[in-house]
Amino acid sequence: MKRTVWFGVSLVVIFLIAGLLLPKWLLFLCTMAAANGVVSLGIVLLMRGGVVSFGQGLVFAAGGYAAALLSNKLGVTDALLLTAAGGAAAVLMTAPFAVLLARYRGIFFAMLTLALSMVLYGVLVKMDALGGSDGFTMSRPTLLGMKIADAWSGYVLYSIAVVATGLLSIGARIYFDSSRGLVSLAIRENELRVEYLGASVTRVMAANFLLAAFLGGAGGALAIMALGHIEPNFSYWTTSGEFVFVAILAGHTGVLGAFAASFVLELVRSFSSSYFPNTWQMALGIFLLIVIRFFPRGLGSLIKK
Amino acid sequence: MKRIEALLIGGLFAAGSACAQETFKLGVVSFLSGSAAESFGVPAVNGAKAVIEAFNKGQAPAPYNKVGFGGVRIEPVYVDENGGATKQVQELRNLYDRDKVDAVVGYVGSGDCLAVAPVAEEMKKFLILYDCGTPRIFEDGKYSYVFRTASHAVMDNVALARYLKARSIKAGSINYINQDYAWGHDSRNDFKAAAAQLFPGSKAQTDLLPKFGAGQYGTEISALLAQPADLTHTSLWGGDLQAFVLQAGPRDLFKRTQVVISAGDHVLPGLGDKMPDGVILGARGAYGLMSPKSALNDWWWKLYEDANKVYPVQAPYRMVQSLLGLKLAVEKAMVANGGKKPSPEQLAAALKGSEWESPAGRIRMNLADGHQATQDTAIGRTKYDAAKKMVTLVDIQRFPADCVNPPPGVKGEDWIKGGFAGAKCP
């Protein structure tokens, strides 16, 4: 555990220093990759227990809308506070469903989470007070009571994302290695045996779902702070699908894989869209096919080696 | 040896900076894929390509006859608007930071416009929104670097209602069918409010909000036929509008109610004789078949038609009017900057509050402190011309900008509900 913390902290420091050297556009891309990566990390966490959520857009949107509303309506502007609040809001929102969903597996779990996220999407589109399908904008957050200067906003938001996702990743790694986290892996292998050994499968799965919700909500809050604009598409199934894709790309073994996969996806999307404006979706699709063909166990398997 | 090297390097740098001076990099963002590509994005980009080529050859009529922008060649960078607002924010940052564009013209989707406007403002870069409809952009926000060179969506439904009033078309009862997203909601609300003012006794009946991109309207058409109203208002567009017309036509909806479409001219070339006669429609401006006669319009019409084998409709008109305005603004700012490429601040100062002639009439940047344009518009009625094998528009009526746009400082919604105070109609 000590090793994990040291490793995590040193990685965060390395990324913070590296950020000073990156051009602005790459800095923003990395911020978004970190924010999206942490949502996919939530799916990785669920995957360790053998289920995949196709509705992480639900918690992503819940966290994003909570952060944006707190900032716009209640004047809470501290970036770290908003990140935590985004995570908490997502947990609160999904808590009533956690126990119910914990009993489902496979396609049923995936479809139920997808349905929930689309319900939220439908509600948000109808809510004219929240801008309907056009969404609304949020002004730039503050950090520890200080305003973020224009010239440094990109780097500061990047740093916030790196530190927040770094802390969450360290937490996730510790959880993965804890006895409770390892029970998830056992559930994936044989649920019945875990029950006979005296552990409550439902409880572990419900806890996993809520932890994933916290990660997703925090990711949503980080994303909206960088983007400055939120809309119901945050909860749309294509958004959720992207998170699942990143999680599959990452594989369920490691934590870093989620961020590496998220970064690679953003990078490929950005360049294919600038070099092939008419066929960028095809370029992206071909890339994804190649990855699936040559790295069936995800990019995480590369890091492990 | 060292001196030669230094000379070489110096020469390279000089050449590099000379190259950078030589072009004006212009980001053009519109839908190249997705549901809005066929109706809006691709025609607009085709229009941009034709006009930019003409600019670079110096072939546009005066006062747009300087090569490129004030002698500087235009180098366009095209970007797809599809993929959601999140992607657009990222792409816009890339355009400014990575591609180093001098200005960006783009965005059809209102959600995209709302998302990218604060980004350009934060980065202090020049941005023109050329098409999107929502009045919220400048009503809720204040910008120094962001402009919209076309009227917002309030004009469309106000003009439609005024047309009905002017022609004494019966509007005792009104049915609505609009898409279930911001554009559909806003269009319906604007028309409802305008009808309440102009047709005080009128009553809203069936109010349908099918899903965006639904494509199947069997149930909705049955509902509209079950209780036919004098008028049926719709703001459907693109593939949805085509599907609706094709499915409602054989069921005689158009014979049992007067259908009015707030933005429909872009489907006329595609639908041909499938478009029933007598449908009243607008084009979000005096565009396409409703465009005014002028030398500039003739030049533009021929330029577009030669390049694309189809006449220009709403989207390319909106694109060309923004590029013409940008051209004059760049040239004005260059004069102020001693002939050099202007900074975003100088560009903004030049475009703010300016006026210029476009193929669709005069564009005036007179709302939102000189950042939001108003323009004339027109409404017409469809009539299929069997000899020409195309839908034509008859009974065209023009509305001056002051008649159908709110005055400065008044929100569109409040202006309609307050009885169009300050409107100057002939």
Side-chain angles (χ1 to χ4, degrees):
Chain A
M1 185 175 149
K2 219 172 174 183
R3 228 184 108 233
T4 312
V5 174
W6 276 116
F7 182 65
V9 169
S10 43
L11 261 187
V12 166
V13 172
I14 289 171
F15 275 112
L16 286 180
I17 295 168
L20 290 169
L21 307 171
L22 295 178
K24 270 190 192 164
W25 63 269
L26 193 58
L27 213 52
F28 185 77
L29 191 145
C30 289
T31 312
M32 288 310 291
N36 292 338
V38 81
V39 186
S40 295
L41 182 61
I43 300 180
V44 169
L45 194 152
L46 287 170
M47 275 161 71
R48 290 173 74 87
V51 292
V52 175
S53 161
F54 270 80
Q56 280 317 82
L58 171 79
V59 290
F60 187 59
Y65 270 93
L69 287 174
L70 275 176
S71 160
N72 281 6
K73 309 270 177 196
L74 298 179
V76 183
T77 53
D78 187 77
L80 297 173
L81 208 61
L82 286 177
T83 310
V91 170
L92 276 180
M93 179 144 194
T94 45
F97 311 106
V99 182
L100 175 84
L101 285 169
R103 299 166 50 169
Y104 290 90
R105 299 290 177 272
I107 191 75
F108 306 103
F109 182 84
M111 287 297 120
L112 278 171
T113 49
L114 177 67
L116 282 178
S117 76
M118 288 307 289
V119 167
L120 180 66
Y121 172 81
V123 170
L124 289 173
V125 166
K126 293 268 183 204
M127 283 177 69
D128 288 339
L130 297 182
S133 62
D134 282 348
F136 61 93
T137 50
M138 168 192 163
S139 49
R140 194 182 301 155
T142 57
L143 183 62
L144 307 173
M146 286 177 294
K147 277 214 153 133
I148 302 172
D150 281 357
W152 284 91
S153 66
Y155 180 72
V156 173
L157 287 170
Y158 165 84
S159 309
I160 293 166
V162 166
V163 171
T165 53
L167 290 177
L168 290 170
S169 305
I170 294 170
R173 187 72 251 177
I174 292 171
Y175 176 72
F176 286 178
D177 295 339
S178 70
S179 53
R180 196 187 183 106
L182 290 171
V183 168
S184 300
L185 283 180
I187 293 172
R188 182 191 168 96
E189 297 303 325
N190 192 330
E191 232 174 87
L192 207 57
R193 200 173 277 176
V194 173
E195 282 278 351
Y196 271 105
L197 287 171
S200 165
V201 171
T202 316
R203 198 174 292 172
V204 173
M205 296 305 270
N208 279 357
F209 185 66
L210 291 179
L211 287 174
F214 187 86
L215 292 174
L222 289 171
I224 160 79
M225 286 191 288
L227 284 170
H229 181 261
I230 191 160
E231 51 169 21
N233 271 340
F234 270 53
S235 188
Y236 201 57
W237 64 271
T238 50
T239 311
S240 304
E242 238 165 59
F243 294 136
V244 173
F245 189 86
V246 167
I248 291 170
L249 207 62
H252 73 274
T253 41
V255 168
L256 285 176
F259 295 100
S262 176
F263 176 70
V264 170
L265 183 72
E266 292 293 337
L267 207 60
V268 172
R269 193 203 342 240
S270 171
F271 277 98
S272 60
S273 139
S274 101
Y275 287 113
F276 318 106
N278 285 299
T279 50
W280 62 274
Q281 288 103 330
M282 192 166 74
L284 195 59
I286 291 172
F287 165 75
L288 301 182
L289 282 176
I290 291 173
V291 170
I292 291 171
R293 169 67 185 78
F294 293 103
F295 308 104
R297 294 187 55 217
L299 292 176
S301 61
L302 273 182
I303 297 175
K304 262 278 185 282
K305 279 175 204 164
Chain B
M1 197 64 206
K2 271 233 165 92
R3 276 202 16 220
I4 296 172
E5 240 172 36
L7 268 175
L8 269 175
I9 292 170
L12 276 176
F13 268 101
S17 59
C19 274
Q21 281 292 315
E22 257 169 11
T23 63
F24 186 99
K25 255 191 150 182
L26 177 66
V28 178
V29 189
S30 200
F31 284 99
L32 300 173
S33 65
S35 52
E38 188 220 342
S39 355
F40 300 135
V42 172
V45 167
N46 287 342
K49 283 180 181 160
V51 168
I52 289 171
E53 203 192 316
F55 282 171
N56 279 338
K57 288 183 186 155
Q59 286 171 347
Y64 305 108
N65 51 356
K66 286 196 188 124
V67 171
F69 286 159
V72 180
R73 261 183 69 82
I74 306 162
E75 185 189 346
V77 182
Y78 297 100
V79 173
D80 187 5
E81 192 183 334
N82 200 16
T86 308
K87 179 168 176 291
Q88 290 323 310
V89 168
Q90 229 158 321
E91 292 307 324
L92 185 69
R93 285 176 178 276
N94 287 342
L95 275 175
Y96 288 133
D97 274 341
R98 195 165 73 198
D99 298 324
K100 311 274 183 217
V101 297
D102 298 295
V104 172
V105 171
Y107 305 104
V108 176
S110 290
D112 294 335
C113 281
L114 284 168
V116 296
V119 176
E121 187 72 11
E122 182 197 310
M123 297 174 79
K124 301 197 182 352
K125 300 283 185 185
F126 189 75
L127 171 67
I128 290 182
L129 309 169
Y130 85 97
D131 188 37
C132 55
T134 184
R136 279 176 54 202
I137 293 163
F138 294 107
E139 285 181 356
D140 296 356
K142 204 171 157 8
Y143 299 100
S144 311
Y145 296 86
V146 184
F147 295 83
R148 177 159 51 191
T149 51
S151 278
H152 57 60
V154 165
M155 174 180 82
D156 310 326
N157 288 290
V158 171
L160 204 52
R162 284 204 187 278
Y163 181 90
L164 299 170
K165 184 76 187 169
R167 310 248 150 187
S168 313
I169 288 160
K170 202 165 157 238
S173 54
I174 308 172
N175 282 345
Y176 292 88
I177 174 164
N178 294 283
Q179 288 145 317
D180 194 6
Y181 80 116
W183 164 261
H185 297 181
D186 292 351
S187 300
R188 175 196 60 171
N189 294 342
D190 285 350
F191 189 79
K192 248 185 197 169
Q197 291 295 329
L198 295 174
F199 301 96
S202 77
K203 118 177 156 295
Q205 279 179 189
T206 315
D207 189 351
L208 302 169
L209 290 169
K211 206 159 63 67
F212 174 79
Q216 294 294 328
Y217 298 98
T219 333
E220 282 81 7
I221 294 164
S222 299
L224 293 174
L225 284 167
Q227 207 186 358
D230 298 335
L231 286 183
T232 299
H233 170 268
T234 181
S235 63
L236 298 181
W237 53 264
D240 282 8
L241 179 57
Q242 292 197 20
F244 176 72
V245 171
L246 290 173
Q247 291 161 30
R251 296 179 65 182
D252 280 349
L253 180 76
F254 293 94
K255 293 197 180 116
R256 300 182 57 184
T257 175
Q258 171 67 57
V259 176
V260 295
I261 305 173
S262 67
D265 81 317
H266 58 281
V267 301
L268 297 182
L271 280 174
D273 61 353
K274 304 288 187 301
M275 188 71 185
D277 284 352
V279 175
I280 293 170
L281 55 79
R284 308 204 58 214
Y287 299 144
L289 299 170
M290 294 185 282
S291 54
K293 183 89 189 131
S294 72
L296 184 62
N297 191 29
D298 291 345
W299 166 77
W300 153 245
W301 188 285
K302 188 171 169 344
L303 179 78
Y304 187 88
E305 203 171 34
D306 287 351
N308 300 294
K309 310 291 166 237
V310 63
Y311 67 84
V313 287
Q314 173 196 324
Y317 265 93
R318 290 208 146 195
M319 179 57 85
V320 71
Q321 80 189 33
S322 71
L323 291 176
L324 292 173
L326 175 63
K327 183 172 166 62
L328 290 191
V330 175
E331 284 163 7
K332 191 169 140 195
M334 277 173 96
V335 172
N337 198 28
K340 286 202 291 282
K341 210 158 69 173
S343 68
E345 288 77 15
Q346 289 163 330
L347 259 179
L351 186 59
K352 188 173 167 173
S354 65
E355 290 185 17
W356 66 94
E357 278 310 323
S358 86
R362 200 158 180 83
I363 311 294
R364 294 182 179 84
M365 302 294 294
N366 57 357
L367 297 190
D369 199 20
H371 287 254
Q372 163 71 51
T374 62
Q375 64 185 87
D376 302 349
T377 191
I379 305 287
R381 196 191 271 272
T382 56
K383 184 165 175 43
Y384 188 70
D385 186 332
K388 286 194 209 156
K389 289 205 172 116
M390 64 180 279
V391 184
T392 57
L393 290 175
V394 294
D395 299 342
I396 295 168
Q397 183 165 349
R398 289 178 200 293
F399 296 92
D402 292 347
C403 173
V404 286
N405 286 285
V410 184
K411 285 193 176 187
E413 203 184 341
D414 300 340
W415 178 65
I416 304 177
K417 288 188 174 145
F420 313 107
K424 291 188 206 79
C425 294

